Amino acid sequence: MKKKNNLLLALLLSTTLIFAQFKSLERIIPSNAEMVVSINGNQITELLSITNFDQSEIGQLLLKEMKRSSDHVKSIADLGFKIDAKAYYFFEVKENTSFHNFLIKIDNRENFEKLFSSRDRKKIEIINNTRILDLRGDISVWTDNSLLLSFSKSLHSTDDENSKTSRKDYALNLLKTSAINSVLTIPSYTKSKNKKASASFWVKNYSDFMSLMLKDVFKSMGKLRGYQNMDFYGINALSGHLFFDKDKVALKTTMHIDKEWQNDFKKIYDKKFNKKFYKYFNQNAAIAYFNLTMSTKGILESYPNIMANMYETILPKYKEETRVAADLLNIILDEEAIEELIGGDFLFVLNDLKQQETNYTSYDYDADYKKTEVIKTKQELLPDFTLMMSSKNEKFLTRIMRLGIKHDLLGNKGSYYSIIEAKKLPIDLFIGIKNNIVFLTSSENRLQQIMLGTFKSNLGKHKKLLSKNAMTFYVNGTEIIKKTPKDMINFDKKFEKLMKIVVNKKLEVALSTSKFKASKIETKLIINTPENEENSLRFFFDLFNEFVSNK
Amino acid sequence: MKKLKKIILLFISLLLLSSCFEIIEEITLHKNGSGDIAITLNLSQSKSKIASIMLMDSINGFQIPSRSEITNFVKKTTVTIKNTSGISNVKSSLDLDNFILNFSCNFENIHALNQVIAAFGNHKERSKINKQQHFIYNTNTQHFSRSYHYDLSKEFDKVKAIDKNALKEASYTTIYRFDQPIISTSNRLSKLAPNKKAVLIKVSGAAMLTGEHSIKNNIQLLKEK
């Protein structure tokens, strides 16, 4: 059996073409790959040098660990990998086996081989300058300059000897991937590539990928049989890039929406940000905000369809029933009337965090331990916020407010209302309606300014974030940390140390989701880091080092 | 809109992190084994947080009881205790603005006192508490002991780090008064009153849950002829 295998290997590897291809790692990723992740070592080592890494707390910890088994390792450069090159991971499923593969450039084969124990090293097979090591089904194949690591897992519950042999064949076959079978022939992959990114990922089809991952993770649980082929994510290809700029980290992902869902997405996202909200936004009084701009009408029209699609997948037997139910719902709902009442756009602004003194009861004891009630005070952190929601049906809303006053739920304050139930809360709540906007706020003063038209707005850079996206979540981390008294949150010492570093530095987080455009939705997570730092990767690396360090 | 309300309320309650409370257990024990007990559960330091939480139906699947449900529980428990033989003068007050519960009664013997503690648990816990005897008093040896058999450290492992910190502020205080002076106590947190006839122990919630300290105590009283 072994002889036959070796013969096969020799045949597989005897063409020089193979070695030519193995030099370009990306080319041997097959077009069947479900997911590809690439790490741009060149970019990363430019931002964080190998020396910097070696000297850091994390580097030292890692090297200390490595030295135990391989004493030649004095730097991560001694591992034998070409760290400043691109490395890849890809995931593929073949014949009911999932394969997790890594492709890494090697710059010192001997150093790399030292990472294996001398016992394992004896098992290395050499065929035409290619080395193969099979460690209980984990396959490593390498030449002088490239390495393929392949880990696999059977999606069947039985794991026999045959499948282990085929794992080796699988790895060797990968090296044979021809230009026509490569992932580079797939337009959605090549289009998604970005040279400037420090790391990237691409998923061929999100729905398929999720089903496979669920199988891979839950194969032994056997509970998911009915859900294995679910296709209700509505997302086709998914790709993303991570960038480390000088003063910000950005993670940008792009979702391609399935053709059959595009119409629904179009309807849901068919809504413009209510520009009147701008008038009531002041960046100097906004330590965090969240906005959502979606069409209520679109949601109501599409929701039954989306639900029907989902149920059809889960319960194919009841396809007709779900369709009828969906159509019925469409008939009953008056989408336009509801849209008029609830616009589907919200803006929640956390204006401030205030400390307030509150009383509480406690007890004192005399010499004989007889207790007496005493009133003590303590500081509480209370949110000050404003919520805006558009509504075109002011008349109807005013009638609801009057009903609220009649039933003692609301207090009449002239041009606005107070919420009586909020009296049980440590903060007050007020409602006002103006310019087709419903305001809910904790500040009476602010609502008075809004109603009188004396509120001063200041949009700054936030105009773009608010108007261009369907959803934005922004947090001014520095302000929140500053406003939170240290004694109020008893984080452990390590966190406290981090907070002390961060509190004097600019740190803002913004997560935004674009509108639906050209069958795509883009999501951006941007973390602004201090401008005077070397670069954002260094900033986070140093911060993380500070966290692991025990000094 | 209901969801939105929930989100806002949850947000407010998250900010009010300090969930501290105090429990005070006061017992006056006479030589013949009769006496009175007063239990105070004071959550007023976290009243803002509780008030916010109580406007919600549930948090993470955990049902939040309404004001009337709490009132009913206290009423029911009081009735159970009133119907226990050897118990008299049962009084309870519930302040749902400051979240303070005061409860007191007289007991004829230690067995009745154990029944009072058991009444605060549910049915299953009740028989368990009855078996374990939180209080033991021997009229002959004049020896009084307070104990419990829960393994609190196991429960504590389940608590999130941030909640563990909040529990540091919580406390359990026991005050026991006797007719005759105390000779010895086993709990090293015991503080004797100048007249030696009363002992106080105050344990933080965190120390109690980690097992560092407890309210368990063995008290030997002076035998008078």
Side-chain angles (χ1 to χ4, degrees):
Chain A
M1 188 67 189
K2 194 149 199 188
K3 246 186 185 169
K4 203 179 146 195
N5 266 333
N6 284 347
L7 200 73
L8 188 76
L9 290 181
L11 266 171
L12 283 172
L13 296 166
S14 57
T15 49
T16 44
L17 184 75
I18 294 168
F19 301 111
Q21 277 190 5
F22 201 16
K23 276 182 186 159
S24 157
L25 299 180
E26 197 178 16
R27 269 188 72 177
I28 69 165
I29 301 173
S31 55
N32 279 336
E34 300 291 340
M35 181 199 205
V36 180
V37 177
S38 64
I39 294 175
N40 195 343
N42 193 17
Q43 288 268 353
I44 291 172
T45 46
E46 251 176 49
L47 299 168
L48 176 72
S49 72
I50 292 174
T51 329
N52 276 331
F53 181 85
D54 284 343
Q55 286 165 356
S56 71
E57 203 79 25
I58 303 164
Q60 290 291 321
L61 274 173
L62 190 82
L63 291 172
K64 208 170 133 191
E65 207 52 46
M66 294 298 301
K67 266 181 199 162
R68 272 188 212 166
S69 49
S70 337
D71 53 6
H72 71 285
V73 180
K74 289 182 183 67
S75 155
I76 51 156
D78 297 337
L79 299 175
F81 301 122
K82 196 168 170 7
I83 293 162
D84 58 0
K86 257 196 169 182
Y88 298 87
Y89 157 84
F90 65 94
F91 171 70
E92 188 184 12
V93 174
K94 237 179 177 178
E95 283 152 21
N96 259 307
T97 309
S98 64
F99 293 94
H100 300 274
N101 307 290
F102 296 86
L103 288 165
I104 304 162
K105 281 276 176 198
I106 283 182
D107 69 358
N108 187 329
R109 180 173 57 78
E110 277 161 20
N111 273 351
F112 164 69
E113 284 170 7
K114 279 185 201 160
L115 298 176
F116 296 109
S117 70
S118 55
R119 223 179 77 197
D120 286 343
R121 270 202 295 262
K122 281 181 193 142
K123 293 181 196 157
I124 299 173
E125 296 171 63
I126 308 175
I127 302 165
N128 278 359
N129 282 329
T130 300
R131 283 151 174 85
I132 303 141
L133 183 58
D134 179 352
L135 294 174
R136 293 163 293 277
D138 295 341
I139 317 287
S140 312
V141 182
W142 67 99
T143 62
D144 281 343
N145 45 43
S146 304
L147 162 72
L148 161 69
L149 288 175
S150 181
F151 305 103
S152 50
K153 193 171 164 190
S154 169
L155 297 176
H156 283 306
S157 37
T158 49
D159 207 5
D160 55 28
E161 199 52 42
N162 273 337
S163 69
K164 276 186 186 158
T165 332
S166 69
R167 284 170 193 189
K168 197 155 142 191
D169 294 344
Y170 167 82
L172 294 167
N173 257 320
L174 278 178
L175 305 188
K176 269 202 338 184
T177 308
S178 69
I180 357 163
N181 295 331
S182 154
V183 73
L184 291 166
T185 58
I186 299 182
S188 97
Y189 177 76
T190 46
K191 267 187 212 160
S192 81
K193 285 174 65 168
N194 187 319
K195 278 184 185 166
K196 285 179 186 164
S198 290
S200 306
F201 75 89
W202 168 82
V203 175
K204 189 198 277 169
N205 182 300
Y206 185 70
S207 308
D208 292 351
F209 176 73
M210 285 310 285
S211 307
L212 286 169
M213 285 311 270
L214 286 173
K215 262 194 217 173
D216 193 39
V217 177
F218 297 105
K219 69 154 186 176
S220 50
M221 295 171 80
K223 279 180 192 162
L224 288 150
R225 220 156 276 150
Y227 296 90
Q228 270 171 9
N229 296 312
M230 51 187 174
D231 182 26
F232 50 67
Y233 297 99
I235 302 165
N236 206 317
L238 175 73
S239 62
H241 302 286
L242 180 67
F243 303 90
F244 290 105
D245 293 343
K246 186 170 179 345
D247 57 355
K248 65 174 183 290
V249 182
L251 176 68
K252 295 180 186 173
T253 56
T254 309
M255 292 185 281
H256 293 261
I257 304 303
D258 266 350
K259 261 211 173 109
E260 55 179 303
W261 297 78
Q262 285 181 11
N263 207 13
D264 291 322
F265 271 82
K266 218 176 181 172
K267 281 185 195 163
I268 292 172
Y269 285 90
D270 183 23
K271 179 95 186 175
K272 275 189 183 152
F273 181 75
N274 186 348
K275 288 199 171 131
K276 285 180 201 156
F277 286 177
Y278 289 152
K279 280 169 86 177
Y280 309 104
F281 183 91
N282 180 354
Q283 65 168 348
N284 298 324
I287 54 179
Y289 63 82
F290 175 74
N291 102 287
L292 190 66
T293 311
M294 281 190 183
S295 160
T296 311
K297 190 179 155 217
I299 291 171
L300 292 172
E301 277 175 3
S302 302
Y303 185 72
N305 189 31
I306 291 171
M307 290 313 280
N309 271 348
M310 274 172 76
Y311 284 112
E312 270 171 25
T313 326
I314 303 170
L315 306 164
K317 259 190 188 174
Y318 300 99
K319 198 173 173 173
E320 289 77 16
E321 283 87 338
T322 48
R323 274 290 144 197
V324 171
D327 291 342
L328 194 68
L329 202 60
N330 259 338
I331 295 166
I332 298 168
L333 294 172
D334 183 352
E335 293 89 2
E336 270 163 35
I338 298 173
E339 165 92 25
E340 232 182 57
L341 188 65
I342 306 163
D345 41 1
F346 300 95
L347 175 60
F348 175 87
V349 183
L350 178 66
N351 301 104
D352 200 2
L353 287 172
K354 281 180 185 162
Q355 281 193 65
Q356 187 179 288
E357 206 172 73
T358 49
N359 293 336
Y360 69 96
T361 308
S362 191
Y363 307 93
D364 275 347
Y365 305 94
D366 66 11
D368 293 328
Y369 301 146
K370 286 227 166 75
K371 74 174 201 289
T372 41
E373 222 178 86
V374 285
I375 301 294
K376 292 185 179 171
T377 58
K378 67 167 200 169
Q379 294 290 329
E380 264 182 0
L381 197 64
L382 299 173
D384 175 17
F385 66 88
T386 312
L387 174 75
M388 295 170 229
M389 187 186 101
S390 45
S391 172
K392 284 183 185 151
N393 200 339
E394 265 186 38
K395 256 190 195 166
F396 182 65
L397 281 175
T398 314
R399 286 217 312 266
I400 292 180
M401 296 297 144
R402 271 191 220 136
L403 210 61
I405 295 169
K406 192 176 161 189
H407 290 279
D408 284 337
L409 296 169
L410 295 176
N412 194 347
K413 290 263 181 178
S415 61
Y416 57 96
Y417 314 89
S418 64
I419 298 180
I420 290 171
E421 200 186 6
K423 283 208 172 132
K424 291 174 192 154
L425 290 174
I427 54 166
D428 299 321
L429 288 175
F430 303 92
I431 297 186
I433 304 162
K434 197 187 175 179
N435 275 345
N436 287 334
I437 302 172
V438 182
F439 296 90
L440 173 71
T441 177
S442 53
S443 161
E444 185 164 17
N445 184 25
R446 192 176 310 115
L447 190 59
Q448 280 169 347
Q449 287 177 10
I450 289 169
M451 300 316 282
L452 286 169
T454 57
F455 184 89
K456 286 210 170 68
S457 73
N458 182 354
L459 272 166
K461 63 179 176 186
H462 299 284
K463 186 174 177 176
K464 211 171 137 191
L465 264 175
L466 284 167
S467 63
K468 290 213 164 162
N469 296 301
M471 190 275 294
T472 314
F473 181 56
Y474 166 89
V475 176
N476 188 334
T478 320
E479 282 300 307
I480 289 201
I481 295 166
K482 259 189 209 163
K483 303 253 165 167
T484 313
K486 277 177 209 94
D487 56 328
M488 203 161 271
I489 304 172
N490 299 317
F491 281 127
D492 65 14
K493 288 225 165 80
K494 281 192 172 177
F495 266 111
E496 214 172 283
K497 205 166 74 181
L498 277 195
M499 292 301 143
K500 268 186 198 153
I501 300 171
V502 176
V503 76
N504 294 316
K505 294 182 174 174
K506 187 181 120 188
L507 205 62
E508 288 170 299
V509 183
L511 173 72
S512 58
T513 299
S514 74
K515 291 173 183 171
F516 180 69
K517 242 190 267 167
S519 78
K520 288 184 294 191
I521 293 175
E522 283 172 15
T523 301
K524 276 187 214 164
L525 172 71
I526 294 174
I527 306 173
N528 285 329
T529 53
E531 282 149 9
N532 50 357
E533 298 287 326
E534 211 174 299
N535 61 63
S536 56
L537 177 63
R538 256 324 270 285
F539 173 74
F540 279 110
F541 185 73
D542 290 347
L543 209 62
F544 188 60
N545 257 311
E546 200 63 44
F547 185 64
V548 278
S549 133
N550 286 317
K551 280 169 209 159
Chain B
M1 200 64 197
K2 210 172 173 187
K3 218 168 189 177
L4 197 71
K5 176 182 153 186
K6 198 173 163 177
I7 292 167
I8 293 170
L9 289 171
L10 191 67
F11 172 73
I12 297 169
S13 61
L14 278 176
L15 281 166
L16 306 162
L17 280 165
S18 54
S19 58
C20 16
F21 55 88
E22 57 180 330
I23 304 171
I24 304 162
E25 175 185 301
E26 290 171 277
I27 295 172
T28 304
L29 186 73
H30 302 301
K31 219 168 146 186
N32 64 0
S34 71
D36 53 75
I37 178 169
I39 295 171
T40 308
L41 176 61
N42 175 11
L43 280 78
S44 73
Q45 212 173 331
S46 330
K47 64 182 173 190
S48 307
K49 187 176 185 176
I50 298 167
S52 314
I53 288 173
M54 284 192 63
L55 292 177
M56 283 182 276
D57 305 324
S58 68
I59 295 181
N60 298 331
F62 179 78
Q63 285 286 321
I64 309 294
S66 66
R67 279 179 161 72
S68 63
E69 275 168 331
I70 297 173
T71 312
N72 277 339
F73 173 78
V74 173
K75 266 188 197 160
K76 235 169 120 183
T77 309
T78 312
V79 170
T80 311
I81 294 170
K82 267 183 187 161
N83 292 334
T84 309
S85 68
I87 297 294
S88 58
N89 197 19
V90 181
K91 282 178 199 156
S92 73
S93 72
L94 181 64
D95 172 357
L96 282 175
D97 290 325
N98 293 303
F99 298 100
I100 302 173
L101 168 71
N102 282 305
F103 171 86
S104 66
C105 68
N106 296 354
F107 55 88
E108 275 174 20
N109 51 51
I110 279 290
H111 177 70
L113 173 62
N114 278 319
Q115 299 277 316
V116 171
I117 298 294
F120 280 98
N122 62 33
H123 196 74
K124 206 173 140 196
E125 285 162 2
R126 224 170 281 169
S127 56
K128 219 169 151 188
I129 295 169
N130 264 336
K131 256 187 229 158
Q132 286 167 352
Q133 298 204 341
H134 281 232
F135 301 97
I136 299 169
Y137 176 62
N138 187 322
T139 42
N140 293 325
T141 58
Q142 299 282 297
H143 186 268
F144 175 78
S145 79
R146 168 71 162 112
S147 67
Y148 57 87
H149 301 268
Y150 312 116
D151 188 358
L152 293 170
S153 58
K154 263 188 200 163
E155 293 297 315
F156 192 58
D157 285 339
K158 294 180 204 158
V159 181
K160 281 186 222 142
I162 203 153
D163 294 334
K164 280 182 189 173
N165 268 310
L167 280 170
K168 275 184 193 159
E169 307 287 322
S171 69
Y172 199 122
T173 307
T174 63
I175 300 165
Y176 303 136
R177 295 187 191 87
F178 306 94
D179 294 343
Q180 62 270 59
I182 296 162
I183 301 177
S184 70
T185 55
S186 64
N187 193 319
R188 56 196 170 88
L189 294 181
S190 303
K191 278 190 211 159
L192 292 192
N195 67 5
K196 300 253 162 84
K197 286 184 177 176
V199 58
L200 177 144
I201 293 175
K202 188 174 181 176
V203 188
S204 84
M208 203 160 152
L209 288 169
T210 53
E212 196 189 341
H213 292 297
S214 85
I215 53 158
K216 288 178 189 176
N217 208 355
N218 285 305
I219 301 164
Q220 182 60 55
L221 305 170
L222 183 72
K223 277 193 258 181
E224 284 171 357
K225 279 162 199 169

